[in-house]
Amino acid sequence: MVVSSTPPGYELTEEQRLVRDTVRALADDRIAPRAAEIDRTGEFPWDVKALLAEHDLLGLGIPAEYGGVGADLLSVCLAVEQVSRVCATSGLIIAVQELASLPIVLAGTDEQRRRWLPDLAAGRQLVAFALTEPEAGSDAAAVRTRAVRDGDDYVIEGTKRFITHGSIADLVVVFAVTDPEADRHGRMSAFVVERDRPGFRVARLEHKMGIRGSPTAELVFDGVRIPAGNRLGAEGEGFAIAMRTFERSRPAIAAQAVGIAQGALEVATAYARTRRQFGRPIGDFQMVAALLADMDAATEAARQLLYRACTVIERGGPDAARWAAIAKLVAGDAAMRVTTDAVQVLGGYGYVDEYPVERMMRDAKITQLYEGTQQIQRLVVARALLGRE
Amino acid sequence: MRIVVLTKPVPDPASGQDRLGPDWRVDRAAAPAVLNGNDEYALEAALRLVEAHGGEITLLAMAPPSAPETLRKGLAMGADRAVLVTDPALAGSDIPSTVAVLAAALRDLEADLVLAGIDTSDGFAGVVPAALATTLRLPLLSNAAAIEPDPAAGRVRVRRIVQGGYDVLEAPLPALVSCTQALGAPRYPSLKGIMAARSKEIAVRSLADLGPLPRPVGGAVAETVVVAVDPPPPRGATRTVRAPAAEAAREIAEFLAARRLLP
Ligand SMILES: Cc1cc2nc3c(=O)[nH]c(=O)nc-3n(C[C@H](O)[C@H](O)[C@H](O)COP(=O)(O)OP(=O)(O)OC[C@H]3O[C@@H](n4cnc5c(N)ncnc54)[C@H](O)[C@@H]3O)c2cc1C
């Protein structure tokens, strides 16, 4: 299990501040100069991945005994936030490595963790999380991919869609139906599939609006045979593993959103100081100043909510899913609004790629969609409120 | 090899805050503290020396009691421990006080090599390394661009930057080296380094812990006093050249040539 180092309280710890400041410096010096090109070429930034690995950022949430940093959830989010502030594609590299290693951390046996986590923690290998299918998006329990037991093996058959890093990952955590007769939440199990298994193939890559350096793949499992020892948890636990994973991974997406918003706010503020119209800086006009103030308020509110959510989730308990959903809901909406307003502050210059805010606006949109759309986050919150299943 | 790196927490130069109080002393509450930039270069040099020759690194700071947070970054970069001398009486210390205190603390640490940044971004005097070497009767190798110790022979060689090139100096250990940025840029702490820093020791010492000093120290006996501070004159109007690169370059060259600023 992930051990918390966060004492109760309302301040970041000394260590968390050091994590934040270190990653911010790294992001400003080494990643920011690459962001526009990553977006333009749409190529996965292997150099950034290597940089993140070198600084242990791909093993942040993985326990130290398996080669990771063993950082608390808030530290993971601080890192994702600071990298996403300059490049959302790069922030997502950290977030997805965390997302997809979580099922192994949460449900793997000691042997399985020893087998896979050290390479993931060191960034020698990447891992993807494959839940979504053409017919199973928001309705994650509707997965059709089958895993059929055959002696000591399982044979996996089906198609996964929209899988981040699916084309470059060494390992894929796949959710597949083991018992079609069971109820909605007991049908699925989780498996680790190594990419070199025969029958595994990347069918296509998406052409996307934002996070363009992040490959999003359709994966086909054509009779992929894996040993039963690659199953995570018991048969039928897949859905529960996915939901427990989301409790800790949705905050990382909220952190990506807060980072994007902060990046846009900084660009817009600097621009409003220097751009002159009607003989003075546009920041002198109250309508522009109010936009900036609202952007700051929305970003800070989302950030503080997220940090609070992290400490609640770290402590564990029945309220974790609700906090994760609220954090992602508020942060995703903040990012969309703040980046849209940043484009407004820059006027026509905001709409062209001379400045990064148009990219940030395109990148922000994904945070309202993946790991559950905003509507699904509301569903989670409402269920917690109304006490329904 | 036992290396001590002098590390001073200074107000963050990037914070943009006005860092002087009404008495012209540095207002340490006005801006967050960071490790002095040149000291980070010295620490990086120390880390590389230890990687090559083995040994351990102790950070030494004389600073306000809030300094552990700043020193933690140095520990996260890879230093093994830190010693912080802090005492309310030391606020407002001038250079002779600082040197007396650091010298006393250094005597306890038995270093083979003491590294210091060539100056600090708050005081800018740049004389502490030399004064400290004199006080401790250590050879001073200043303005180092390269440090090559030979621990077996008990000697160290340094390239000292001078106008138009460098001198090669050699001295017996222990010695004190003042470090320039030519030694190479400091590393970022790794995340594992940050987590490991949690359990490293920061020993806090008061004046009393240092024992009797050869002279009185602290703000009360400061001999140098800042009498006045003048802000630099406001910058004249700037001109931005917006044109395709070749055209812009020609325009800028003409501008400079007209002012006889080109050779
Ligand atoms: C770039 C990208 C990367 C992704 N990465 C991954 C990944 O790594 N792994 C993975 O497994 N998946 C990934 N996804 C998939 C993502 O999580 C899904 O796209 C998302 O969950 C929505 O599913 P859908 O696209 O099928 O939309 P649908 O479920 O078809 O939703 C369409 C619309 O209907 C709404 N809706 C659906 N059901 C309800 C309801 N009950 N109440 C109210 N509104 C509802 C939705 O909110 C949405 O507005 C990624 C997607 C993208 C675009």
Side-chain angles (χ1 to χ4, degrees), chain B residues 14 20 50 57 67 75 115 127 134 142 159 164 166 175 194 218 226 230 248 257:
Chain B
L20 290 182
V50 164
I57 300 171
L75 297 175
L115 302 187
V127 296
T134 308
S142 60
R159 282 189 185 195
Y166 57 84
I194 292 175
V226 178
D230 290 315

Side-chain angles (χ1 to χ4, degrees), chain A residues 14-15 17 22 26 29 55-57 60 67-69, chain B residues 69 72-73 76 188-192 194-195 198 242:
Chain A
E14 184 183 300
E15 193 173 276
R17 284 195 293 272
T22 300
L26 195 65
D29 295 351
H55 292 274
D56 310 321
L57 285 162
L60 265 182
V69 173
Chain B
E69 170 143 359
R72 196 75 66 186
K73 181 182 178 193
Y188 304 96
S190 74
L191 273 284
K192 279 186 188 166
I194 292 175
M195 299 299 152
R198 191 194 306 173
R242 276 191 182 275

Side-chain angles (χ1 to χ4, degrees), chain A residues 333-381:
Chain A
D333 285 357
M336 199 64 241
R337 191 178 117 204
V338 168
T339 53
T340 306
D341 286 348
V343 171
Q344 198 66 27
V345 169
L346 271 72
Y349 291 90
Y351 196 70
V352 297
D353 67 4
E354 190 175 337
Y355 288 90
V357 288
E358 60 84 28
R359 178 187 86 233
M360 292 166 170
M361 182 176 167
R362 288 184 284 108
D363 287 344
K365 185 66 204 175
I366 192 61
T367 67
Q368 296 183 307
L369 296 172
Y370 57 18
E371 295 206 25
T373 63
Q374 298 298 70
Q375 287 71 31
I376 294 306
Q377 308 307 324
R378 289 188 173 90
L379 216 67
V380 172
V381 178

